[in-house]
């Protein structure tokens, strides 16, 4: 009897130990979410593009391809907890290989425009490929949005991510120096998407890396009802080719004032550009990554996006050039104002404006910048 009793106790104790073991808290450093990699497709030159799916523990799923570091899908819960895809893009690689305006891409070597594709560093004149009228835009014909990045995934206790790297050769698209760039995308369990850019070069070069995702927090339709705040008292005035004149103008009393919350639609018509809409570099009042630079609320879904950055500017672009000729995921036709971008950056054409914050990386220095997009719903 005693033996049976003690055997029973032993079995019970073993059972408890097994159950306790399987429910034991995760070890420190153990990953919280998941990252999986699949084939996305082949490029015409036979190189292979992969697609990474990152899932955190709070209902957010991010898909990124190493072709241009493009974010192809970002599922974020609305105020009822229902996930919706809040970025413009395509289901397949062919959509990205065809002509499209930088959907989801890493932009570089120099995001935004350089006047006539010309600049001078230390007495040396450089000429870039002119791919936007007479100007150079977003790194040239084959910019960082169209190259295959080396990619490694990683997990930490409270995040999942990928690390993308690309060596841009001396002379690529006209830029000087072999430039080694590393961009990490980290998706945290508190729904922050953190972009960290770093780079080194063996010759002085302009650099301005950014992210060109188009957002629509409602998932479809136009973005005019989105409510926006931008912490910027000034913007860079541009000529009719979107090159800064050098003037930093007060937003106060102009359609460009988003210091107090207003909808994108409210003053859209008053911007007066051709095509119509916002496509302006805001001079941020914020100085540190902790300061809120931009807040966007979509009142129906309740989704909120906040932008934090250490960069001096942000290009607010309202998809003015979208004209209904592209059809993306879920049969969404991308018409004018179907999406907005907040491209954190140095000011456009900085290499030709000595009074703008410098965007020249010198040999021996390391370029480093961080931008965070933070998502929530209420
Ligand atoms: C940037 C520019 C726009 C436009 C888009 C791509 O945001 O500022 O003028 O070129 O890229 O269409």
């Amino acid at each position: 009897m005693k033996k049976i009793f003690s055997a029973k106790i032993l079995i019970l104790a073993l059972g408890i130990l097994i159950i306790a073991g399987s429910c034991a808290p995760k070890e420190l450093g153990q990953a919280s979410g998941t990252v999986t990699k699949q084939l996305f497709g082949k490029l015409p030159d036979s190189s292979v593009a992969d697609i990474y799916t990152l899932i955190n523990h709070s209902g957010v799923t991010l898909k990124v391809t190493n072709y241009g570091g493009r974010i192809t899908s970002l599922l974020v819960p609305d105020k009822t907890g229902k996930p919706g895809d809040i970025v413009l893009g395509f289901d397949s690689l062919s959509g990205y290989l065809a002509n499209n305006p930088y959907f989801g891409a890493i932009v570089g070597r120099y995001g935004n425009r350089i006047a006539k594709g010309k600049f001078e560093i230390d007495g040396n004149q450089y000429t870039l490929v002119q791919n936007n009228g007479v100007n150079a835009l977003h790194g040239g014909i084959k910019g960082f949005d169209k190259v295959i990045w080396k990619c490694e995934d990683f997990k930490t206790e409270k995040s999942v991510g990928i690390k993308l790297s690309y060596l841009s050769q001396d002379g690529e698209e006209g830029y000087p120096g072999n430039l080694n760039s590393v961009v990490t995308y980290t998706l945290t369990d508190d729904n922050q998407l953190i972009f960290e850019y770093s780079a080194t070069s063996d010759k002085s070069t302009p650099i301005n890396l950014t992210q060109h995702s188009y957002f629509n927090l409602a998932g479809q339709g136009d973005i005019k009802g989105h409510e926006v705040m931008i912490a910027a008292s000034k913007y860079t005035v541009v000529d009719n080719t979107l090159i800064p004149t050098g003037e930093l103008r007060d937003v106060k009393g102009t359609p460009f004032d988003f210091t107090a919350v207003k909808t994108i639609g409210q003053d859209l018509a008053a911007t007066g550009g051709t095509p119509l809409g916002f496509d302006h570099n805001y001079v941020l009042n914020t100085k540190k990554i902790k300061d809120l630079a931009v807040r966007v609320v979509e009142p129906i879904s309740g989704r909120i996006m906040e932008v934090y950055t250490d960069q001096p500017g942000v290009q607010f672009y309202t998809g003015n050039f979208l004209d209904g000729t592209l059809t993306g995921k879920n049969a969404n036709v991308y018409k004018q104002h179907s999406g907005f971008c907040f491209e954190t950056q140095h000011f456009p054409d900085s290499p030709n404006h000595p009074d703008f914050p410098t965007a020249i990386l010198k040999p021996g220095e390391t370029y480093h910048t961080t931008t965070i997009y933070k998502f929530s719903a209420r």
Side-chain angles (χ1 to χ4, degrees):
M1 176 72 181
K2 243 190 182 172
K3 262 190 187 158
I4 295 170
F5 185 67
S6 55
K8 268 189 182 166
I9 290 183
L10 197 68
I11 289 167
L12 196 72
L14 266 174
I16 289 172
L17 270 176
I18 289 167
I19 292 169
S22 62
C23 299
K26 284 179 180 172
E27 275 173 50
L28 270 190
Q30 193 170 333
S32 56
T34 59
V35 188
T36 50
K37 171 181 158 183
Q38 281 175 306
L39 177 71
F40 196 38
K42 270 196 176 174
L43 275 66
D45 69 359
S46 293
S47 53
V48 168
D50 295 315
I51 190 150
Y52 291 77
T53 304
L54 287 69
I55 304 179
N56 75 0
H57 268 176
S58 311
V60 172
T61 303
L62 169 72
K63 282 182 188 272
V64 185
T65 170
N66 62 335
Y67 174 68
R70 290 172 186 249
I71 293 177
T72 65
S73 156
L74 179 58
L75 297 176
V76 172
D78 68 7
K79 63 184 172 195
T80 69
K82 192 171 149 243
D85 194 346
I86 60 161
V87 292
L88 276 53
F90 306 100
D91 284 320
S92 63
L93 181 64
S94 57
Y96 292 97
L97 293 178
N99 198 23
N100 75 89
Y102 307 91
F103 281 166
I106 297 173
V107 165
R109 207 180 272 205
Y110 197 92
N112 221 309
R113 292 172 176 80
I114 295 183
K116 303 193 170 63
K118 292 196 187 301
F119 58 92
E120 189 185 305
I121 305 176
D122 301 332
N124 298 315
Q125 315 269 347
Y126 295 97
T127 303
L128 303 173
V129 173
Q130 293 156 299
N131 61 327
N132 187 245
V134 292
N135 300 323
L137 174 69
H138 290 338
I141 292 172
K142 190 174 179 190
F144 289 5
D145 58 300
K146 293 185 190 70
V147 300
I148 293 281
W149 292 68
K150 243 205 268 164
C151 187
E152 289 164 31
D153 56 84
F154 63 86
K155 299 177 188 179
T156 70
E157 197 191 344
K158 292 193 173 115
S159 68
V160 284
I162 55 169
K163 180 177 160 193
L164 298 146
S165 22
Y166 176 66
L167 170 66
S168 167
Q169 305 281 345
D170 187 9
E172 203 170 290
E173 299 293 320
Y175 286 97
N178 292 295
L179 179 78
N180 242 313
S181 301
V182 178
V183 183
T184 61
Y185 290 11
T186 306
L187 175 63
T188 66
D189 276 346
D190 63 353
N191 294 349
Q192 298 190 52
L193 180 52
I194 305 170
F195 302 100
E196 278 184 276
Y197 307 84
S198 60
T200 51
S201 174
D202 57 6
K203 285 186 189 161
S204 292
T205 179
I207 185 167
N208 196 22
L209 302 181
T210 191
Q211 228 291 332
H212 208 301
S213 284
Y214 289 66
F215 293 92
N216 183 324
L217 301 184
Q220 57 185 14
D222 72 52
I223 49 156
K224 293 180 193 162
H226 286 56
E227 298 161 355
V228 171
M229 185 288 297
I230 307 175
S233 315
K234 290 179 190 292
Y235 70 103
T236 47
V237 178
V238 286
D239 66 16
N240 58 7
T241 70
L242 299 178
I243 293 294
T245 61
E247 184 192 350
L248 307 183
R249 190 176 291 170
D250 283 344
V251 293
K252 210 171 176 190
T254 77
F256 307 106
D257 189 357
F258 283 92
T259 52
V261 179
K262 70 177 180 189
T263 62
I264 292 177
Q266 186 175 315
D267 289 330
L268 194 77
T271 57
T274 317
L276 195 66
F278 296 94
D279 192 0
H280 293 81
N281 171 62
Y282 283 79
V283 179
L284 288 169
N285 299 338
T286 53
K287 295 280 172 273
K288 296 185 298 289
I289 187 80
K290 282 195 160 49
D291 303 335
L292 178 67
V294 176
R295 191 160 199 266
V296 187
V297 178
E298 198 288 301
I300 298 164
S301 64
R303 290 197 186 91
I304 300 168
M305 171 175 166
E306 291 177 341
V307 182
Y308 299 86
T309 187
D310 54 16
Q311 290 292 278
V314 66
Q315 185 83 7
F316 177 38
Y317 173 58
T318 46
N320 312 339
F321 291 101
L322 298 174
D323 59 5
T325 50
L326 292 174
T327 300
K329 297 171 282 183
N330 310 314
N332 268 346
V333 177
Y334 296 137
K335 298 191 193 132
Q336 197 179 39
H337 312 140
S338 295
F340 63 85
C341 306
F342 278 104
E343 304 154 61
T344 56
Q345 62 182 1
H346 272 255
F347 304 166
D349 200 28
S350 291
N352 293 309
H353 289 272
D355 47 337
F356 286 177
T358 181
I360 304 297
L361 171 67
K362 296 184 181 147
E365 293 177 349
T366 301
Y367 169 86
H368 190 262
T369 162
T370 305
T371 289
I372 302 174
Y373 292 157
K374 185 171 184 187
F375 301 99
S376 56
R378 57 135 203 253

